[in-house]
Amino acid sequence: MTIEIVGGAANQIPVAILPFSVPVAPGMPLGLRNPAEVVAGDLGRSGYFRVLDVSDVAVPPAEPQDVQLQDWKNRGADAVVIGQIRPQSGDRVEVRFWLFDAVRQTRLAALSYTTSSAGLRAVAHRIADAVHQALLGEPGAYGGRIAYILKRGGRYELQVADADSQNAVTITASPEPLISPAWSPDGQRLAYVSFEDKKPVVYVQNLADGSRRAVARFRGSNSAPAWSPDGRRLAVTLSKDETSQIYLLDLLTGEAARFTRGGALDTEAVFSPDGQWLYFTSDRGGSPQIYRASLSTGAATRVTFEGGYNVSPALSPDGRTLAFVHRRDGRFHIAAMDLNSRQMQVLTETAYDESPSFASNGRLLLYATLVNNRGILATVSVDGKVKQRLSQSGDLREPAWGP
Amino acid sequence: MKQLAYSALLLAALLAGCSGNPSKEAAIEDRGIKAAEAEQMEGVKIVEAARVETQGAARAIPVSEAANKPGAGVNTSGTATQPISSKTTESVQTRGATAASSEVKSLADGKSAADAKSGGVVGGDKSTAAQDASTLPQPDAVPAWGDLKNPENPLSKRRLLFDYDSAAIRDEYRPVLEAHVQFMKANKAAKSILQGHADERGSREYNLALGQRRAESVFNAMSLLGVPEAQMEAVSMGEEKPVAEGHDEEAWQQNRRTEILYQGE
């Protein structure tokens, strides 16, 4: 997969990420990729940082006293990252890193991780998260995973990859469409809709062993799964009793309790993080809009009013921001609304945006769009300033950012 | 004849905007059983089951837990294909894009034929509806499975198109609907899959619900005309199965549709 940056923050922080010191020592696993490359890739693509060229560094500093902060300040760096890898027993290594403020010549962070060599990438993402947090005062989102559907050659694949699109694994492949993957809160399971039975059926698949089962295969259509915060229930859209309505499915008993009523079309439910509310799309007011209903009383109120088409609600992890698809002049954009002020902002310029989902830090949105009639994935910061595009051969769609 | 006229009256009322909303009972639960029944029918062809492969993707092991676990990364040991899924795929079959594209043409033919029969009068009033009904096959000519593929027979018309964001059945489809109602009544073993579709614009899930509503619109019309609900199922493919691949209104119009399919066909 290729990642392209199409926009960045106004003031990018210049940062020097030096190669981590990897001593040639007995017991050191061979062929390790230097974590600094992964850290530099993460931070460089984020749009918040400008990563300085450090290719002239012949012998990277291993310890804090070895780094010449004044030199890096003179080269334009505001911050400097150094690190080292130390062999432990067997396949295991210890990774240490330090982050310095080159201007004030102070240490901002120092952390150590122990991992197997296969877990080195994951550690590098966590280091990028720590650097992001220390320099910007808010968490990064480099360590999560994404799920999405790849359509190529008439075949549909549900894939799971690291947030930087590396390590992609196909967990389900089918000649019939797959849509709507949804992560369980613990990141262990994915719910999704498969058309392999020639109609939409909701499945839940365990990521550890690949086992799966159909959890909603009622008469009619079954779709739009969303997990409750405790992971015990799924909100789903079923048409078994009336037209598409929202039900709460108990995953232990398999019982589906009807949640919405009335002849209007209700779908695309998501739980609020506190488990008190269900946000969903409904055309009960004549056009598709987003509503919010209390899970205890069922009483619903309308949330979106601007424009005639607002669908696909997604909630930030703190429950304060609602992202959705908003149609304006026949074009479909990603928009975000502050749920306190009810202020709405359109974040994208592309015309066929779909399926927004929040990163765990609540600062980035992942969505699908069309560029030159090809499906790609894209991210945008909630302020609309920083954008990335992820593409590969075939059509990418239906992304979901997981824990 | 009297019954036909009554049916036509009911349908005319429906077309005029009276949205009947019968509750669905007698759910079609076990598709495996229905598939077995279908196999005994004439001219039955069970399509090959969709092959679905699944596998696990173990998370790169969190650093804190890594000490206790030997490996991290991809676990391909769990290649599990659930028997239940491959079994049920056999029970419902669609004709796919090949059959679908040839139907586009015959549908256009069907429209002009319908207009000609009703003397150019397009409307939902009682007399026109009754007149249309009189052109249906006579009771002695019981509609049979073979008629479903006979281009001369209205039963070969399987596709109803819809306006944007609408599930209202257009007048022009009255003869098609009535032909299928007669077929279903004459062939109690026939089980119809009413498959709704939407165009590609907007949310996939919302489009799934729109397609469902289009399927239910046909379901309700046929139910009012006397087809037992247990003999039909309304499902939606959303925007996932377009028959026209373009990105303009011409293609979108072709894709906003309900297909009348028969299990075991």
Side-chain angles (χ1 to χ4, degrees):
Chain A
M1 215 181 282
T2 324
I3 300 186
E4 174 198 354
I5 305 150
V6 290
N11 296 307
Q12 295 181 326
I13 300 173
V15 52
I17 300 158
L18 308 189
F20 285 18
S21 168
V22 185
V24 181
M28 182 66 101
L30 297 173
L32 292 180
R33 186 166 179 205
N34 200 300
E37 292 173 36
V38 177
V39 176
D42 281 349
L43 298 181
R45 280 189 305 269
S46 75
Y48 292 105
F49 303 95
R50 185 161 55 81
V51 176
L52 301 190
D53 180 12
V54 295
S55 55
D56 59 320
V57 176
V59 182
E63 301 286 344
Q65 61 268 26
D66 301 337
V67 64
Q68 303 302 318
L69 291 177
Q70 186 61 45
D71 289 356
W72 287 106
K73 182 190 169 196
N74 293 342
R75 286 176 66 165
D78 282 3
V80 180
V81 173
I82 70 162
Q84 60 171 258
I85 301 180
R86 307 170 137 223
Q88 304 283 67
S89 60
D91 182 45
R92 308 195 61 73
V93 292
E94 182 192 3
V95 183
R96 296 180 174 183
F97 91 96
W98 292 266
L99 169 67
F100 301 98
D101 181 328
V103 180
R104 296 195 184 86
Q105 312 248 327
T106 54
R107 196 175 79 184
L108 297 175
L111 287 166
S112 161
Y113 305 85
T114 303
T115 180
S116 67
S117 55
L120 209 51
R121 282 192 70 87
V123 165
H125 292 313
R126 291 178 59 159
I127 292 172
D129 280 337
V131 171
H132 187 109
Q133 170 85 57
L135 295 179
L136 293 174
E138 59 186 38
Y142 307 107
R145 283 186 301 174
I146 57 174
Y148 52 88
I149 308 298
L150 170 63
K151 185 192 178 196
R152 52 181 172 187
R155 205 167 161 73
Y156 300 82
E157 296 175 37
L158 170 55
Q159 295 198 331
V160 169
D162 292 348
D164 63 353
S165 80
Q166 300 296 306
N167 294 337
V169 177
T170 298
I171 66 155
T172 295
S174 172
E176 295 298 334
L178 300 167
I179 61 167
S180 306
W183 290 91
S184 66
D186 62 5
Q188 305 286 314
R189 290 171 290 171
L190 272 175
Y192 57 90
V193 176
S194 171
F195 290 74
E196 70 205 57
D197 298 347
K198 309 293 183 192
K199 73 173 205 174
V201 169
V202 179
Y203 287 82
V204 167
Q205 183 163 338
N206 192 324
L207 289 183
D209 61 9
S211 64
R212 64 170 200 155
R213 66 190 174 101
V215 296
R217 199 206 315 256
F218 297 97
R219 175 178 160 103
S221 296
N222 310 263
S223 69
W227 296 82
S228 64
D230 64 8
R232 290 180 189 170
R233 291 187 296 174
L234 281 184
V236 289
T237 299
L238 308 177
S239 66
K240 69 188 184 79
D241 300 312
E242 212 181 334
T243 195
S244 306
Q245 301 281 294
I246 294 163
Y247 292 72
L248 297 174
L249 184 71
D250 187 309
L251 285 171
L252 270 183
T253 66
E255 276 175 40
R258 187 163 174 181
F259 184 73
T260 60
R261 284 174 194 282
L265 183 163
D266 298 330
T267 186
E268 297 190 313
V270 285
F271 285 85
S272 65
D274 62 8
Q276 302 292 302
W277 305 94
L278 213 56
Y279 287 76
F280 60 97
T281 303
S282 175
D283 73 348
R284 60 186 63 185
S287 68
Q289 299 290 344
I290 294 164
Y291 290 75
R292 183 179 86 158
S294 159
L295 274 158
S296 50
T297 70
T301 54
R302 185 166 161 178
V303 177
T304 55
F305 288 92
E306 198 172 318
Y309 190 98
N310 293 296
V311 300
S312 304
L315 281 170
S316 61
D318 64 7
R320 290 183 188 161
T321 311
L322 176 74
F324 51 97
V325 172
H326 169 73
R327 188 181 67 196
R328 191 167 68 184
D329 302 328
R331 297 159 65 89
F332 299 86
H333 302 293
I334 303 298
M337 178 189 281
D338 180 310
L339 286 171
N340 280 329
S341 68
R342 297 288 167 115
Q343 286 290 312
M344 184 190 105
Q345 189 190 357
V346 174
L347 305 179
T348 58
E349 292 85 43
T350 33
Y352 297 100
D353 303 339
E354 293 180 9
S355 310
S357 87
F358 276 93
S360 56
N361 68 353
R363 305 294 303 164
L364 281 179
L365 280 160
L366 177 66
Y367 62 99
T369 190
L370 281 184
V371 170
N372 299 326
N373 276 328
R374 200 155 70 89
I376 68 161
L377 306 185
T379 65
V380 60
S381 57
V382 287
D383 58 10
K385 287 177 181 160
V386 183
K387 294 182 175 119
Q388 286 182 15
R389 288 175 177 175
L390 292 73
S391 60
Q392 73 162 65
S393 59
D395 277 307
L396 293 167
R397 49 174 72 163
E398 300 287 279
W401 210 318
Chain B
M1 188 57 222
K2 191 178 172 187
Q3 194 200 346
L4 274 179
Y6 174 66
S7 298
L9 185 64
L10 264 177
L11 183 57
L14 188 78
L15 290 167
C18 169
S19 64
N21 214 357
S23 67
K24 292 181 198 164
E25 48 188 36
I28 303 159
E29 293 296 350
D30 192 327
R31 329 218 53 198
I33 291 172
K34 295 289 174 191
E37 286 172 15
E39 274 179 282
Q40 292 160 15
M41 286 182 211
E42 247 182 17
V44 164
K45 197 176 117 207
I46 300 291
V47 295
E48 192 188 355
R51 278 191 203 87
V52 177
E53 298 141 25
T54 68
Q55 71 179 71
R59 172 166 198 145
I61 295 185
V63 179
S64 54
E65 297 169 24
N68 305 323
K69 299 191 179 176
V74 180
N75 171 6
T76 55
S77 64
T79 46
T81 302
Q82 298 296 304
I84 197 162
S85 62
S86 55
K87 186 174 157 193
T88 48
T89 32
E90 294 170 0
S91 64
V92 186
Q93 58 100 27
T94 59
R95 314 276 318 159
T98 326
S101 55
S102 63
E103 278 176 291
V104 174
K105 187 167 170 286
S106 57
L107 181 62
D109 295 340
K111 179 182 187 296
S112 51
D115 287 347
K117 278 173 194 166
S118 57
V121 180
V122 179
D125 70 302
K126 185 175 154 189
S127 60
T128 312
Q131 196 181 341
D132 270 3
S134 69
T135 64
L136 286 172
Q138 294 306 301
D140 56 325
V142 175
W145 284 86
D147 295 333
L148 291 169
K149 292 196 174 74
N150 176 5
E152 303 293 313
N153 195 299
L155 280 176
S156 68
K157 316 302 190 265
R158 308 292 197 86
R159 184 172 299 162
L160 288 70
L161 303 185
F162 293 85
D163 292 344
Y164 177 64
D165 201 23
S166 167
I169 299 172
R170 296 177 187 167
D171 254 5
E172 69 197 61
Y173 297 118
R174 218 179 312 147
V176 178
L177 268 190
E178 292 185 346
H180 285 280
V181 166
Q182 294 311 313
F183 174 77
M184 298 278 280
K185 286 179 176 173
N187 298 275
K188 297 291 185 197
K191 176 154 174 273
S192 178
I193 308 297
L194 307 169
Q195 191 184 69
H197 299 261
D199 71 37
E200 65 182 354
R201 291 171 292 170
S203 150
R204 287 176 190 276
E205 281 288 356
Y206 185 69
N207 285 339
L208 190 68
L210 278 181
Q212 181 67 29
R213 188 183 265 165
R214 288 182 180 134
E216 286 161 357
S217 184
V218 176
F219 182 101
N220 291 340
M222 292 180 52
S223 171
L224 279 177
L225 291 173
V227 177
E229 296 192 350
Q231 224 177 321
M232 304 180 283
E233 183 177 13
V235 304
S236 177
M237 303 299 275
E239 64 175 271
E240 309 303 325
K241 292 283 186 179
V243 286
E245 290 289 348
H247 305 286
D248 51 20
E249 177 51 32
E250 198 184 345
W252 294 331
Q253 169 61 97
Q254 293 302 314
N255 293 333
R256 292 190 301 267
R257 66 197 197 276
T258 292
E259 311 246 356
I260 302 174
L261 307 168
Y262 289 95
Q263 208 174 88
E265 229 181 327

